[in-house]
Amino acid sequence: MSADAPLDSLGSDDTRRLTRRGFGVMGVGIRREPWMFALAVVLSLLFGVMTVADAWVLGWATDHVITPSFADGEVARGGLYTGIILFIVAALLRMIGVIGRRLAGGVVFYRLVRDDRLRVTRQYLQLPLRWHHRHPAGQLLSNANADVEATWSVFMPLPMALGVIAMLLAAIGTMAAADPVLTLIGLVVFPLLFVVNAVYQRWQGPRLALAQSLRGDVSAVAHESFDGALVVKSLGREGDETARFARVSERLRDANVAVGRVRAVFDPVIEALPNLGVLLVIGVGAQRIASGAAAPGDVVQVAFLFTVVAMPVRSFGWVLGELPRAVIGWHRVRRVLDDDDHMPYGERALPGSGAVRLDVTGLDYAHPDEPDTTVLRDVEFSVPAGRVVAVVGSTGSGKSTLTSLVTRLVDADAGAVRYDGVRVQELSQAALTSTAALVAQSTFLFDDTVRANIVLDREIPEDRIWSVLRDVQADRFVADLPQGLDTQLGERGTSLSGGQRQRIALARALAREPRLLVMDDATSALDPDVEQRILRALAERSESGSGPSVLVVAYRKATIGLADEVIFLANGKIADRGTHAELRDRSRAYRNIVDAYDQAREEVDHE
Amino acid sequence: MSEPRDGGLKVIRRGLSMSPSITEGLGLTMLLALVSTAGGAIVPLVVRRAIDDGLAGGGGVDTDAIIRSVSIAAVVILAIMVTGWWSKVRIFTSTERGLAELRISAFRHVHDLSTLTQNTQRRGALVSRVTSDVDQISQFLQFAGMMMITSVGQMLVALVVMAALSWQLTLVVLVAFVPLALALRFFASAMSRAYDRVRASIADMLAVIAEPVVGAAVVRSYGVEERTQERIDQAVRTNYRNNVRAQTITAGTFGSAIIVGGIANAAVLGIGLWLGMLDQLTMGTVVAFIFLVGLFTGPAQQATQVIADAQNAIASWRRVIELLETPADVVDPGSSGTRLPDGDLDARFVQVEFSYPGGPPVLRDIEVSIPARQRVAVVGETGSGKTTFAKLLTRLMDPTRGQVLLSGVDISQVGFADLRRHVLMVPQEGFLFDATLGENLRYGRFEADDEELVQAIAALGLADWYAGLPRGLDTPVGQRGESLSAGERQLVALVRSALADPDLLVLDEATSAVDPQTELRATRALDRLLAGRTSVTIAHRLSTAENADRVLVFDGGRLVEDGTHAELVALGGVYARLHASWVAQASLDG
Ligand SMILES: Nc1ncnc2c1ncn2[C@@H]1O[C@H](COP(=O)(O)OP(=O)(O)O)[C@@H](O)[C@H]1O
Ligand SMILES: Nc1ncnc2c1ncn2[C@@H]1O[C@H](COP(=O)(O)OP(=O)(O)O)[C@@H](O)[C@H]1O
Ligand SMILES: [Mg+2]
Ligand SMILES: [Mg+2]
């Protein structure tokens, strides 16, 4: 019965279950915003009752003002003034009701949306990286946006629908007071309206759900295709991409037309029912008046009631119509919120300052999607404080994976990573991030200024920023940017060349003065001499005791040559270790990688 | 958002002319809708007759007459159910068809824009153009827009019936509605401003929400969750405030129509009675008028309601139109373009200059000729303009000044379909689609069968790597290819380009994340596969330059050196320095 039960499929048999779960979602929302919701409902009740009062005023005016006036040939003044005042007061109260209901109802909806957005994004920030790897970015973005809105949009018509219940009860009440036989007509037509609305929703539910999910597909295709626009363009695949998009768009079109066809059948029926009711009232009413059982005012009033009630009753249809979306939206949002895949941080701080010692013991790791393929097996090594260790290995041997384990972006399946003897799992997040800095293989820049991208959440003085920029040889081009450090970089830093982006990312890491610096092939787009200078500077500082320990993934021999030790990774295992010279002497596989260019040059020379 | 903008009607007219399917048969659809609306006026008319002919008549109730008019009305109502159904089916079908076309052509247009224009927009914004913006328009056309038309129709019908019954009371009703009509103008512009703010805050919010999603690894490894959360909180709360403000204005507008209806009823009652006493009106007319005021106020209320929807839809439509009207600044001459000869392709840059919009020139006076079959290496410091050069050579951008010629043909005269078959650039970011390995390779050659794909992989010396994939060609590569390592992604892109088999191949640091051994094996294999083709390779690893037929050296946006490896080393300039440092760190023997 709960709204959280898993959602497998959305066949038409599930519609009833869907509706029930939809009510569950509504319950959740009401419990979150009870007071504002109550206010919206009370004001909606006011509106509903006053709508009926409007019809009552007309009936009253017919009997007490209009009929006597025409009968006597003279305006019944007292009654007229009362009638006028009643019309205006009823309208005024109706206005207050409708404004208040919409406002309070809107506040309920927007608050629910806001709070869930905050919850979902907090969860994004808290869920571990392995979780992020499993979930496409497009999906996560729509969870925080469209899905949250879909969940709660039922709250827009809900207060109105509840007010309509009061309206209908009041309508039946006034009818009963006017004429019992005419009331019977109301008792037939009103429930019929509900039944038609409910049947409509049962028909429509699965169609709406299909259209909703196709809308997601259209968005996903567009997102991905625009993301890869450069590849599409350079391969000249615009036509095929458009065809791919056209396929999902056309399915969405057909789904929307199917929704429209059902609507086209039901809308006119739902509109016609109250009108037919009015005619019935007049036909039957004529006989009642003829037999002296009813007064003309009663008939007029009951007839008017049908017309005023007709429109609001549709709000039930709207509520029911939102339910499938609400359930699907809620299901998606809950999937994020309820995911307890978390990577808890410890409490410990790391005392002292200066370089830390890194110890890695018995690391095993497999990607969660491919549990049978171990990426790292029994990896064991150390980086003594202030030392430089290089990791060398062929493409896909697990180097990047190792760097993310070492900085605790992900946790290993077995084994331990320790900083100064403390397991990384015991460290607080602050201790962890202030100790280690990772410069990843793929550069990511925030859609923000150069400065913000370097300092992030730290307070770093201007001259320190410039000195770091000088270290990575980025000072010149940053100074040349239109607003210098305060230049907006645009999404993913597209206005910079690849090497420039990489330098900013490097500056970001260096500016924090980490105690352990991990660089994952982070200098591939840098010119060799720049890379040399950066590494030498780091090595010198480390020798003098003020620099970090460094773990660096690299291929260039000069870089590797600066390392105190080289770890040679092959197929996720440490195939060999030692100084560069030792490895070159004893490992052919190692030589094949690091000496590839020399070997190539020799072959060319031999030709 | 204060730039001068097209008015709403102009946007709608322009939009409709872009999607002709919507207006196809629109006349009949609207006629049907109006008939359905007009039929609604039958009920007050019946009420009036019933009262006058029977209920309040002095000579007792004429039940037969009433039954007769009620039956006629019932038939009319059944008839308008049919016309209502028909008009709705028509409007849903034609708008959905038209909007699907709009969606697809907007999508296509995004791809037709130059890389530069694409990059000036956030991805999310482009996605909205073909998703939520189009959805808004569809909502509008099917509900609000239809409602507007039928509302106006209903008000007109009510007005005509009213005028036929009593011009005096009609005037009274109109006078009561004048203030509302005036207020609506004010409300509409307030609403328009409020919704502009809502939209702007949505865009900002989506951009910051993307940070922890797209940049999850950086956020995590630098522990900047708090900063990110603060930015998100702020954007979400701003969006909330803007929404509530817009909602307040909408609610106020809606409410104002109700009070006007009340005043109109009161006025009809008072003045109607007075006129009745002067024998100008019957009692049935007075009562029917109050029903008619309802028919008149209902649409007026709905009009206030749909104004908000209309504002949003028009803004969305305007954005889609603006996108479609953004000139594709790198224009495809299409089938009228010149065809490139098959086989050998040479390239020439004539006095080429390029600057990014609003920036200084990043390439200047580029004058170079690359003969067919030559293997050219391009080197230079970061930011010296190499990527820009590659993009001009493959016409991903057009030069600001000067000309790029392929086999003597101005590259801008070559149809894209032809151009992309002959010329291919492999960018540094090995972007893959979220599909299987096989599907991604087929982006290079659609008709290739599995065997050809596997052969291409093996031909680039990647058979061992491929053998290690338990699911082979069916291996899912993940979003953007991120289930593969960065180097593997580049290798897949390389195999893809080999399959595409171009006559001019441009590699822009396409193997920067691949280990040297694999890189050499793959690029040499590629050389062999594309033997006799023209190739331009940008690389930091100067081994490429050592093996190339010719080296072009860029420095600060100029082509400063041009020659063979040996010549340039001997020259002792920029290249000699770059090479010396490369050799120094690549051949660290001691
Ligand atoms: N998210 C992932 N899901 C599944 N497999 C992955 C994922 N990321 C990487 N791999 C696989 O793990 C292996 C090691 O990848 P990686 O550590 O990135 O290698 P590299 O040494 O090139 O940095 C590769 O074979 C790669 O295909
Ligand atoms: N989209 C862009 N907008 C503005 N400037 C750009 C853009 N792309 C590159 N640039 C600038 O143009 C210059 C040359 O860039 P690029 O050709 O990418 O260099 P390279 O490939 O040699 O590293 C750089 O200074 C860079 O900042
Ligand atoms: Mg890697
Ligand atoms: Mg570049």
Side-chain angles (χ1 to χ4, degrees):
Chain A
M1 154 84 235
S2 101
D4 314 346
L7 191 85
D8 342 288
S9 66
L10 279 175
S12 57
D13 298 341
D14 300 320
T15 313
R16 193 169 313 173
R17 213 159 42 111
L18 206 65
T19 309
R20 214 171 42 229
R21 259 195 271 159
F23 282 112
V25 176
M26 286 197 276
V28 173
I30 293 170
R31 255 169 292 161
R32 281 198 195 157
E33 289 293 337
W35 298 116
M36 202 39 96
F37 181 73
L39 182 63
V41 172
V42 166
L43 288 165
S44 177
L45 293 181
L46 174 67
F47 174 78
V49 172
M50 288 328 287
T51 304
V52 174
D54 224 22
W56 177 82
V57 172
L58 176 61
W60 182 89
T62 309
D63 280 349
H64 294 90
V65 188
I66 302 177
T67 313
S69 300
F70 276 91
D72 305 347
E74 190 186 325
V75 175
R77 278 179 191 280
L80 176 61
Y81 295 146
T82 319
I84 289 177
I85 291 172
L86 284 178
F87 265 126
I88 293 183
V89 168
L92 208 62
L93 289 176
R94 234 148 59 91
M95 182 179 80
I96 293 174
V98 83
I99 294 183
R101 180 197 78 209
R102 287 174 154 245
L103 219 91
V107 167
V108 170
F109 168 69
Y110 290 120
R111 276 193 189 166
L112 289 169
V113 165
R114 176 195 65 190
D115 293 346
D116 262 357
R117 280 204 177 112
L118 296 180
R119 281 196 189 92
V120 167
T121 50
R122 275 186 170 65
Q123 187 73 349
Y124 289 165
L125 284 166
Q126 189 211 306
L127 283 164
L129 206 58
R130 64 166 176 256
W131 184 88
H132 279 271
H133 283 318
R134 279 203 311 271
H135 295 85
Q139 181 193 320
L140 297 188
L141 291 178
S142 87
N143 286 157
N145 188 35
D147 289 336
V148 169
E149 278 176 10
T151 308
W152 301 122
S153 47
V154 67
F155 274 86
M156 280 297 207
L158 186 57
M160 173 158 180
L162 294 178
V164 167
I165 294 186
M167 184 194 289
L168 290 181
L169 291 179
I172 301 268
T174 38
M175 281 184 197
D179 185 273
V181 175
L182 297 180
T183 314
L184 255 136
I185 301 177
L187 284 178
V188 171
V189 173
F190 290 166
L192 203 59
L193 272 175
F194 277 95
V195 170
V196 171
N197 266 309
V199 171
Y200 170 55
Q201 290 314 325
R202 288 207 52 168
W203 273 36
Q204 199 66 298
R207 287 178 179 76
L208 285 173
L210 177 65
Q212 172 82 354
S213 86
L214 284 171
R215 213 166 282 135
D217 292 353
V218 166
S219 166
V221 171
H223 199 283
E224 179 178 49
S225 189
F226 294 165
D227 217 8
L230 183 61
V231 171
V232 171
K233 201 181 272 297
S234 60
L235 286 165
R237 286 275 170 227
E238 294 94 337
D240 308 291
E241 282 296 286
T242 308
R244 180 161 81 108
F245 183 75
R247 276 196 296 279
V248 282
S249 297
E250 277 157 13
R251 286 181 59 204
L252 173 61
R253 175 198 64 198
D254 296 344
N256 280 340
V257 169
V259 168
R261 283 183 181 282
V262 172
R263 242 200 122 97
V265 169
F266 278 85
D267 273 1
V269 172
I270 293 171
E271 269 160 36
L273 273 178
N275 279 336
L276 292 174
V278 172
L279 295 180
L280 209 56
V281 165
I282 289 172
V284 176
Q287 267 139 24
R288 300 281 296 163
I289 295 172
S291 68
D298 297 335
V299 178
V300 170
Q301 178 195 336
V302 172
F304 193 63
L305 265 179
F306 273 88
T307 60
V308 293
V309 160
M311 175 59 197
V313 165
R314 306 210 63 190
S315 61
F316 269 97
W318 301 335
V319 167
L320 293 174
E322 291 291 352
L323 285 185
R325 283 184 61 205
V327 172
I328 294 167
W330 178 241
H331 175 70
R332 298 219 186 115
V333 170
R334 283 249 60 107
R335 214 165 36 188
V336 174
L337 292 180
D338 288 347
D339 205 308
D340 56 358
D341 182 4
H342 60 304
M343 205 180 70
Y345 292 98
E347 305 273 291
R348 289 183 66 166
L350 207 59
S353 64
V356 291
R357 176 190 170 81
L358 168 70
D359 290 296
V360 172
T361 46
L363 279 195
D364 283 349
Y365 184 78
H367 281 292
D369 307 348
E370 306 269 351
D372 302 333
T373 322
T374 40
V375 177
L376 291 176
R377 174 162 307 146
D378 201 22
V379 172
E380 195 145 344
F381 67 92
S382 298
V383 183
R387 291 303 165 88
V388 178
V389 170
V391 179
V392 174
S394 63
T395 299
S397 58
K399 305 177 296 297
S400 295
T401 310
L402 180 61
T403 62
S404 57
L405 288 169
V406 157
T407 50
R408 211 192 166 211
L409 284 180
V410 285
D411 276 338
D413 301 330
V417 174
R418 291 188 174 82
Y419 297 165
D420 276 351
V422 183
R423 282 184 73 129
V424 286
Q425 284 77 6
E426 293 172 30
L427 292 173
S428 71
Q429 193 192 13
L432 197 63
T433 56
S434 65
T435 304
L438 168 69
V439 191
Q441 190 168 18
S442 318
T443 316
F444 176 84
L445 296 184
F446 292 103
D447 187 356
D448 209 332
T449 61
V450 178
R451 183 196 306 276
N453 266 289
I454 294 173
V455 304
L456 297 179
D457 58 343
R458 299 283 175 94
E459 301 263 323
I460 298 178
E462 183 101 3
D463 53 345
R464 171 89 189 110
I465 298 177
W466 282 110
S467 105
V468 171
L469 285 175
R470 260 192 307 281
D471 289 346
V472 298
Q473 294 221 323
D475 53 328
R476 276 232 319 272
F477 83 82
V478 171
D480 283 347
L481 290 173
Q483 275 93 44
L485 277 179
D486 296 310
T487 309
Q488 287 283 344
L489 284 181
E491 198 178 33
R492 296 186 198 167
T494 36
S495 62
L496 299 179
S497 84
Q500 291 169 337
R501 284 202 288 276
Q502 216 171 43
R503 290 181 199 196
I504 302 282
L506 212 54
R508 169 155 79 201
L510 295 178
R512 325 194 104 210
E513 302 184 359
R515 302 169 67 185
L516 169 67
L517 179 64
V518 182
M519 295 195 284
D520 182 8
D521 199 12
T523 46
S524 61
L526 288 195
D527 305 306
D529 46 338
V530 178
E531 181 188 29
Q532 277 299 293
R533 240 186 318 255
I534 295 172
L535 282 171
R536 271 192 211 290
L538 279 176
E540 275 160 26
R541 287 204 355 242
S542 291
E543 265 160 38
S544 69
S546 64
S549 311
V550 179
L551 183 69
V552 57
V553 175
Y555 298 118
R556 292 181 183 162
K557 278 193 277 184
T559 313
I560 302 169
L562 287 175
D564 300 289
E565 189 185 28
V566 179
I567 308 290
F568 179 43
L569 216 51
N571 290 323
K573 284 184 280 238
I574 296 187
D576 208 341
R577 68 201 319 158
T579 65
H580 174 60
E582 289 165 2
L583 290 183
R584 268 185 81 194
D585 283 346
R586 63 170 179 252
S587 168
R588 190 181 155 73
Y590 179 79
R591 265 202 310 277
N592 282 341
I593 290 180
V594 298
D595 285 344
Y597 298 131
D598 303 292
Q599 291 171 1
R601 200 172 304 130
E602 275 161 33
E603 284 168 32
V604 171
D605 292 346
H606 278 287
E607 274 167 14
Chain B
M1 294 213 85
S2 56
E3 80 269 27
R5 310 186 299 193
D6 286 353
L9 276 179
K10 207 169 153 202
V11 170
I12 293 177
R13 215 173 304 131
R14 184 92 190 88
L16 287 177
S17 77
M18 281 179 166
S19 308
S21 295
I22 298 176
T23 41
E24 232 167 69
L26 189 62
L28 177 56
T29 308
M30 269 160 65
L31 188 69
L32 289 169
L34 288 178
V35 166
S36 320
T37 316
I42 193 84
V43 172
L45 288 178
V46 168
V47 171
R48 169 172 171 270
R49 273 197 73 102
I51 291 174
D52 285 349
D53 293 356
L55 303 189
V61 183
D62 182 354
T63 323
D64 285 348
I66 292 177
I67 297 285
R68 211 174 312 122
S69 53
V70 163
S71 312
I72 294 173
V75 170
V76 170
I77 287 174
L78 291 179
I80 64 173
M81 276 169 68
V82 175
T83 53
W85 162 78
W86 197 10
S87 74
K88 291 207 152 93
V89 167
R90 289 176 61 92
I91 192 81
F92 281 116
T93 317
S94 66
T95 51
E96 284 302 332
R97 197 181 316 133
L99 292 176
E101 287 162 10
L102 182 69
R103 217 190 274 278
I104 294 167
S105 59
F107 176 91
R108 171 69 202 217
H109 195 74
V110 169
H111 278 302
D112 285 343
L113 293 174
S114 71
T115 347
L116 263 182
T117 318
Q118 285 169 351
N119 283 342
T120 57
Q121 301 261 1
R122 286 177 177 146
R123 291 278 176 283
L126 290 177
V127 174
S128 314
R129 287 309 90 84
V130 300
T131 54
S132 55
D133 279 340
V134 175
D135 293 341
Q136 286 267 13
I137 304 171
S138 119
Q139 279 284 326
F140 168 70
L141 290 179
Q142 292 165 2
F143 304 104
M146 264 329 246
M147 221 191 245
M148 265 182 171
I149 291 173
T150 54
S151 294
V152 170
Q154 192 173 334
M155 286 167 85
L156 281 179
V157 169
L159 207 61
V160 168
V161 175
M162 281 200 264
L165 293 183
S166 157
W167 62 267
Q168 300 98 324
L169 279 187
T170 310
L171 221 60
V172 170
V173 174
L174 284 182
V175 166
F177 275 88
V178 166
L180 179 66
L182 294 179
L184 273 187
R185 291 182 70 88
F186 163 77
F187 278 131
S189 78
M191 249 186 249
S192 164
R193 278 194 305 276
Y195 280 105
D196 274 348
R197 263 202 297 269
V198 168
R199 273 187 298 271
S201 63
I202 289 177
D204 290 346
M205 181 179 75
L206 291 183
V208 288
I209 288 181
E211 278 188 7
V213 172
V214 187
V218 173
V219 168
R220 205 52 47 91
S221 62
Y222 287 84
V224 288
E225 285 88 350
E226 232 165 83
R227 166 188 181 271
T228 313
Q229 189 69 60
E230 270 165 28
R231 276 158 63 90
I232 292 173
D233 285 7
Q234 205 190 349
V236 169
R237 287 179 206 284
T238 306
N239 174 248
Y240 166 79
R241 273 195 304 276
N242 287 333
N243 269 321
V244 170
R245 190 176 310 148
Q247 178 75 5
T248 310
I249 297 173
T250 325
T253 312
F254 194 71
S256 61
I258 292 183
I259 189 72
V260 169
I263 292 172
N265 273 343
V268 165
L269 180 65
I271 297 173
L273 272 189
W274 178 63
L275 289 171
M277 296 311 98
L278 299 177
D279 279 338
Q280 304 264 359
L281 296 174
T282 63
M283 173 176 164
T285 307
V286 175
V287 175
F289 244 84
I290 293 181
F291 274 71
L292 283 165
V293 168
L295 263 191
F296 199 74
T297 353
Q301 273 177 34
Q302 275 168 14
T304 61
Q305 161 83 349
V306 298
I307 282 176
D309 288 351
Q311 298 280 3
N312 277 327
I314 288 171
S316 289
W317 219 342
R318 183 183 290 125
R319 283 193 300 268
V320 178
I321 293 170
E322 272 167 9
L323 166 68
L324 279 165
E325 286 180 345
T326 306
D329 45 358
V330 176
V331 185
D332 181 3
S335 48
S336 68
T338 320
R339 287 186 64 83
L340 286 176
D342 277 330
D344 291 356
L345 212 56
D346 63 79
R348 228 180 92 189
F349 274 59
V350 184
Q351 285 304 315
V352 167
E353 178 178 304
F354 183 83
S355 25
Y356 287 96
V362 295
L363 278 185
R364 249 168 307 196
D365 301 331
I366 305 297
E367 181 81 46
V368 64
S369 175
I370 299 169
R373 303 163 156 261
Q374 198 168 52
R375 284 155 50 242
V376 177
V378 173
V379 302
E381 289 193 350
T382 295
S384 58
K386 305 181 295 295
T387 297
T388 308
F389 176 77
K391 286 184 174 169
L392 293 175
L393 181 56
T394 49
R395 203 168 177 231
L396 292 171
M397 308 189 297
D398 276 339
T400 331
R401 194 177 304 158
Q403 240 186 342
V404 179
L405 304 170
L406 290 183
S407 289
V409 182
D410 186 330
I411 194 167
S412 63
Q413 298 307 314
V414 183
F416 275 5
D418 198 35
L419 182 69
R420 301 294 172 219
R421 216 177 43 236
H422 288 90
V423 174
L424 174 59
M425 172 171 117
V426 185
Q428 183 175 358
E429 304 80 20
F431 178 94
L432 303 183
F433 290 91
D434 188 3
T436 65
L437 171 64
E439 285 164 317
N440 269 288
L441 291 178
R442 271 200 194 89
Y443 265 82
R445 191 193 301 164
F446 249 23
E447 60 284 359
D449 59 28
D450 284 0
E451 203 170 316
E452 286 175 87
L453 299 184
V454 176
Q455 271 170 9
I457 294 172
L460 286 196
L462 302 173
D464 285 349
W465 169 73
Y466 179 73
L469 297 175
R471 272 176 283 177
L473 289 175
D474 295 329
T475 308
V477 303
Q479 274 251 314
R480 304 169 62 85
E482 279 162 4
S483 294
L484 298 181
S485 88
E488 289 168 334
R489 274 201 298 277
Q490 289 188 332
L491 291 172
V492 174
L494 217 57
V495 178
R496 188 168 63 190
S497 69
L499 281 161
D501 191 24
D503 294 316
L504 169 62
L505 178 64
V506 182
L507 300 175
D508 184 7
E509 306 194 30
T511 48
S512 57
V514 179
D515 70 84
Q517 184 185 12
T518 314
E519 177 195 25
L520 280 175
R521 200 177 335 134
T523 51
R524 280 180 181 178
L526 194 64
D527 269 355
R528 267 197 311 279
L529 281 179
L530 302 180
R533 313 298 158 83
T534 318
S535 73
V536 173
T537 308
I538 302 174
H540 271 106
R541 300 176 181 172
L542 295 195
S543 62
T544 317
E546 289 168 359
N547 294 318
D549 298 332
R550 176 182 180 189
V551 182
L552 301 178
V553 185
F554 282 82
D555 193 33
R558 285 177 196 278
L559 179 54
V560 292
E561 286 168 26
D562 177 359
T564 64
H565 164 70
E567 287 164 4
L568 295 185
V569 169
L571 191 70
V574 178
Y575 182 77
R577 184 178 54 73
L578 284 172
H579 188 255
S581 101
W582 155 258
V583 172
Q585 47 97 49
S587 327
L588 186 98
D589 293 318

